[in-house]
Amino acid sequence: MAADIFTLGIDVGSTTSKCLILGNGEEIISSAIIPAGTGTSGPGRALEAALSEAMLSRQDIAAVTATGYGRNSFEGADYIVSELSCHAIGAHAMFPDAKTVIDIGGQDAKAISIENGKLGSFVMNDKCAAGTGRFLDVMARVLELDVSELAEKDAMAGRVIPISSTCTVFAESEVISQLSKNVDICDLVAGIHASVAVRTASLVRRLGLTPPLAMTGGVAQNAGIVRALSKELGEEISVSPLCQLAGAYGAAIHGFNKLKGRK
Ligand code: ADP
């Protein structure tokens, strides 16, 4: 049956704008990821791209739900919801059995427990760049790589070169110093990933490690991080190809539930 109720979720992130349109609360009709976040043209472009792919106009959308770091600056939202709630809802839709969600975005990292398909409790790091996408963005730049290339380098590592500094600025100096010794870049990438994994694992342990685990956010696209974190926690971690869209997905589901009068 063709969808007749369309809801749209927009996740106005710190670095990236994500938009997803859902039909009847279930079917993903279209989505867009624009690498420009809050305070830029990114949110508007993501919205337009998702509408255009779906061949819909704003008037066809029954509810727009904004989430993410810049959600309050987005004009025209029917609902505004925290990204913690939306990641919980989105992750639950992707992995109905997941009890704990790890979301690493551009400038924060969160461990979220899911209770009855919704946000339970959470622990987050939004004070320090280490352990977030920002840390990986900085390291990739020093290594003259794109973040999307980190996973394949990690997969070719013969050993892990430990990064001892926890501060991003000092860790960057440490990586530069290692590069000057002509070490294998793959081993260095494995060390960078291990350092993010240790920090993220401590967030998860503070929340309470309750499997099954799922990971959302842009950094979950990095299979090297997922592998290192899985090793650190001793648990498998499920990741969807839609991981970066989890917040927008959850927002679109939230909008549909509101229309249906569901809690
Ligand atoms: P935010 O909502 O804060 O903007 P996202 O959840 O969209 O954050 O994640 C952004 C981060 O995802 C970037 O900082 C980057 O490190 C990472 N990222 C984006 N694309 C990729 C990719 N293809 N491979 C690995 N990491 C990626």
Side-chain angles (χ1 to χ4, degrees):
M1 192 185 74
D4 53 357
I5 299 178
F6 298 104
T7 57
L8 181 150
I10 180 148
D11 180 356
V12 183
S14 62
T15 66
T16 309
S17 303
K18 286 80 63 177
C19 190
L20 185 143
I21 296 175
L22 212 50
N24 292 341
E26 277 177 8
E27 187 193 350
I28 295 175
I29 306 288
S30 70
S31 64
I33 298 177
I34 304 288
T38 184
T40 71
S41 62
R45 281 158 57 206
L47 183 99
E48 286 308 320
L51 285 172
S52 158
E53 189 194 328
M55 292 190 287
L56 295 171
S57 68
R58 173 66 184 86
Q59 290 69 40
D60 299 318
I61 305 296
V64 171
T65 304
T67 187
Y69 180 70
R71 61 189 179 276
N72 291 312
S73 63
F74 181 79
E75 286 177 16
D78 298 299
Y79 306 108
I80 297 179
V81 186
S82 84
E83 66 262 43
L84 287 159
S85 291
C86 288
H87 274 273
I89 298 168
H92 177 70
M94 291 169 180
F95 301 106
D97 294 336
K99 292 270 186 294
T100 306
V101 179
I102 301 155
D103 165 36
I104 309 186
Q107 66 173 24
D108 60 19
K110 312 174 187 85
I112 302 166
S113 71
I114 300 193
E115 287 164 24
N116 301 320
K118 295 218 163 77
L119 170 66
S121 48
F122 68 93
V123 175
M124 75 189 287
N125 161 30
D126 59 355
K127 300 276 181 285
C128 169
T132 73
R134 177 89 184 121
F135 181 86
L136 294 161
D137 296 343
V138 167
M139 297 309 162
R141 200 172 314 126
V142 173
L143 299 173
E144 296 184 278
L145 294 170
D146 188 86
V147 280
S148 61
E149 297 173 299
L150 293 173
E152 64 186 78
K153 296 290 178 203
D154 179 293
M156 291 188 292
R159 66 188 182 110
V160 178
I161 297 177
I163 306 291
S164 55
S165 308
T166 45
C167 164
T168 304
V169 177
F170 289 138
E172 184 183 9
S173 304
E174 207 177 319
V175 168
I176 292 169
S177 150
Q178 290 287 355
L179 281 175
S180 72
K181 293 180 203 160
N182 283 329
V183 299
D184 186 334
I185 279 192
C186 299
D187 299 346
L188 206 42
V189 169
I192 290 164
H193 287 168
S195 131
V196 172
V198 166
R199 290 188 76 91
T200 312
S202 91
L203 270 188
V204 177
R205 290 195 190 102
R206 271 165 55 204
L207 177 78
L209 173 56
T210 313
L213 304 179
M215 192 167 165
T216 59
V219 173
Q221 292 171 101
N222 180 338
I225 289 285
V226 179
R227 196 164 39 236
L229 184 53
S230 175
K231 187 171 164 218
E232 189 65 33
L233 291 170
E235 291 289 341
E236 285 201 7
I237 301 173
S238 301
V239 181
S240 158
L242 300 178
C243 57
Q244 197 168 14
L245 287 159
Y249 190 18
I253 294 171
H254 173 91
F256 183 79
N257 287 342
K258 283 284 171 194
L259 291 175
K260 290 283 165 190
R262 296 179 191 153
K263 284 201 172 163

